[in-house]
Amino acid sequence: MNKFLKLLAFIMALTIAVSCFASCGDTTTDEDGTSDSTSDSTDSTDSTDDEDSDSETLAAGLYIDGEAIDTENLVMLTITSDEMSGSVEVPFDEYRYMYMYLLSYYGLTDDSYWEDNEDLFETFMTIVDYYVEDNQWGAILADIYDIELTDEDYEEIDEVMQEEIDSFDSEDEFYEALEASGITYDLLERIVTQSVLCERVYLELYGGDDPLLLKSDDEIKESLQNDYVRVYHVLITSDHFADDEEYADATDEELQAAALAYAEEILAEIQASDDIEATVYEYAQDADDSGMVDNEAGYMFTTGQMVEDFENAAFALEVGELSGIVESVYGYHIIYRLEQDEYIEENWDDLKTDYISIVFNDYVDEVLANCTMTYSEYHDMLSYGCIQ
């Protein structure tokens, strides 16, 4: 499930960050994990008086127009919706971590990059906002459906936190690593709790023994039969001949025309075959990027999963019917519609898992789309270097 994958990637990065991130600053961390970061702007500029220092090192925090902002109780994002009884708040330290994580993930930590690409910072912040918002789905759904962590969940949180400490030679080394990363014990624990809450929400709504929102098996099978198609797929990409020496000087239009002609040859051979299904399968195994090497049983999908031209053509076919040439942004497709009733029965467990993943992610996206995001007054003042 991609919602979990994104969140787990964030969690893993957070725990790994204790050895990867260097947050600049004169911070000290107490044994309870709280940070005594120096946020006074006077202290942070002392280095400008040092003739041996070319640049100042700022403490982890928020700086607007060169002035350090008190972030101890600063909420950077508040999420509400008509379905929620309360709100979800994202404090600065969590927002800062996502910002720093994405800078590192995309390799954008070099100041010189932003000096040359200042106009791209707004786009980068849009990405930061998206990930920050998307990671709150567990808390949002917990509010809507009044879901709470169990005693077992809290035990799991304690175990994870202890495992993080035990991965170091000593507690002192653990806290020193947190300090070097600009991460507090409290933030690490909150993010781990967030992950466990997401798992609890998923189990209560879709994945547990008696999930609140999941359809019955019979209803799921009916949906798989009526709302899905299964196909074999031959794809000839528009640049199929791009690496062919004969076409070394060909224009894009000439390459596209050659790919179309080749796709038409394949279609004619399939149509003339005594066993169309087997012939389509054979070509699909060899065609450009058809994906059939990893999907020998073909593609089974519902609306919204494939590019529109391909999807419309597939759903228009009857079982056992072959398409003509279908053009999409990827190239030229030949599609053969397969039966799926027996396939569903034979692959029920895997198909049910995939079905749940799709409806779960679609529902989470729908809930997030109906939420209202309210940002701190400082949000629109951000520029590269404001968050340290």
Side-chain angles (χ1 to χ4, degrees):
M1 282 161 283
N2 57 19
K3 294 297 177 188
F4 277 121
L5 291 177
K6 282 193 286 188
L7 183 61
L8 288 174
F10 176 58
I11 299 296
M12 291 177 66
L14 182 68
T15 56
I16 292 172
V18 294
S19 59
C20 295
F21 280 163
S23 98
C24 338
D26 300 319
T27 62
T28 58
T29 304
D30 298 330
E31 289 189 359
D32 65 355
T34 58
S35 174
D36 295 329
S37 300
T38 304
S39 60
D40 185 90
S41 58
T42 303
D43 293 338
S44 68
T45 57
D46 285 347
S47 59
T48 58
D49 297 327
D50 187 350
E51 294 181 357
D52 297 327
S53 176
D54 294 327
S55 62
E56 62 180 281
T57 298
L58 298 175
L62 175 63
Y63 297 83
I64 301 296
D65 295 330
E67 180 180 350
I69 305 300
D70 182 3
T71 60
E72 183 176 358
N73 298 307
L74 177 60
V75 174
M76 285 296 287
L77 169 64
T78 302
I79 304 174
T80 57
S81 78
D82 292 339
E83 295 180 277
M84 296 171 64
S85 60
S87 63
V88 172
E89 295 182 341
V90 179
F92 173 78
D93 61 351
E94 185 176 329
Y95 190 90
R96 173 192 176 272
Y97 176 74
M98 181 59 76
Y99 171 88
M100 301 297 287
Y101 163 65
L102 289 173
L103 277 180
S104 177
Y105 179 82
Y106 288 112
L108 302 176
T109 55
D110 189 341
D111 291 355
S112 63
Y113 173 84
W114 293 109
E115 291 172 3
D116 298 333
N117 299 278
E118 186 177 356
D119 57 323
L120 295 179
F121 185 76
E122 184 176 349
T123 300
F124 174 73
M125 288 308 302
T126 299
I127 297 172
V128 174
D129 291 345
Y130 166 77
Y131 275 92
V132 171
E133 295 163 5
D134 199 60
N135 273 355
Q136 310 309 315
W137 64 264
I140 294 169
L141 289 174
D143 179 285
I144 294 173
Y145 290 97
D146 197 23
I147 297 172
E148 297 182 352
L149 294 172
T150 66
D151 291 341
E152 291 78 9
D153 293 331
Y154 284 113
E155 289 175 5
E156 181 181 354
I157 294 166
D158 291 341
E159 289 173 2
V160 171
M161 294 302 296
Q162 189 59 50
E163 287 174 2
E164 288 302 316
I165 295 174
D166 293 343
S167 67
F168 292 84
D169 292 336
S170 67
E171 283 197 20
D172 286 344
E173 185 178 319
F174 168 72
Y175 285 116
E176 288 170 3
L178 285 179
E179 177 187 358
S181 307
I183 298 171
T184 64
Y185 183 93
D186 176 64
L187 173 59
L188 182 60
E189 186 175 49
R190 273 188 281 124
I191 298 298
V192 171
T193 301
Q194 184 180 11
S195 176
V196 174
L197 178 60
C198 285
E199 183 178 357
R200 172 55 52 196
V201 166
Y202 171 75
L203 290 173
E204 295 292 333
L205 299 183
Y206 283 96
D209 294 333
D210 187 24
L212 181 63
L213 302 183
L214 187 63
K215 295 179 179 179
S216 68
D217 285 357
D218 287 342
E219 290 173 318
I220 294 174
K221 287 181 180 180
E222 183 178 358
S223 178
L224 290 172
Q225 290 162 349
N226 298 332
D227 303 328
Y228 284 67
V229 293
R230 186 168 75 100
V231 301
Y232 283 158
H233 168 221
V234 180
L235 169 64
I236 305 301
T237 60
S238 299
D239 59 356
H240 176 80
F241 294 101
D243 295 328
D244 193 314
E245 187 174 330
E246 181 182 348
Y247 291 88
D249 298 322
T251 64
D252 289 343
E253 291 75 13
E254 290 170 336
L255 287 172
Q256 187 171 354
L260 175 58
Y262 181 51
E264 289 172 340
E265 289 178 18
I266 293 176
L267 177 61
E269 292 183 23
I270 293 173
Q271 290 171 330
S273 170
D274 293 333
D275 189 341
I276 289 179
E277 182 173 324
T279 306
V280 173
Y281 176 82
E282 181 180 349
Y283 273 111
Q285 290 290 311
D286 298 328
D288 303 340
D289 301 322
S290 293
M292 287 286 294
V293 173
D294 299 320
N295 295 278
E296 292 191 354
Y299 287 101
M300 187 165 174
F301 58 91
T302 188
T303 55
Q305 290 186 275
M306 300 292 183
V307 64
E308 185 176 3
D309 296 313
F310 178 85
E311 179 183 295
N312 290 342
F315 273 94
L317 296 173
E318 298 293 335
V319 173
E321 187 176 2
L322 181 71
S323 74
I325 302 296
V326 177
E327 184 177 0
S328 80
V329 293
Y330 295 107
Y332 300 102
H333 309 261
I334 300 169
I335 309 167
Y336 180 81
R337 175 80 181 269
L338 298 161
E339 73 79 28
Q340 59 207 57
D341 290 352
E342 291 184 13
Y343 180 78
I344 291 169
E345 293 299 330
E346 293 171 358
N347 299 273
W348 167 242
D349 289 339
D350 289 340
L351 289 173
K352 180 179 178 181
T353 298
D354 291 343
Y355 174 88
I356 293 172
S357 176
I358 291 169
V359 296
F360 163 72
N361 283 292
D362 285 349
Y363 178 63
V364 172
D365 287 340
E366 178 185 342
V367 169
L368 288 170
N370 290 325
C371 287
T372 298
M373 316 293 176
T374 305
Y375 287 90
S376 159
E377 61 182 303
Y378 299 112
H379 182 266
D380 291 340
M381 304 179 190
L382 296 177
S383 60
Y384 182 72
C386 285
I387 296 178
Q388 294 289 331

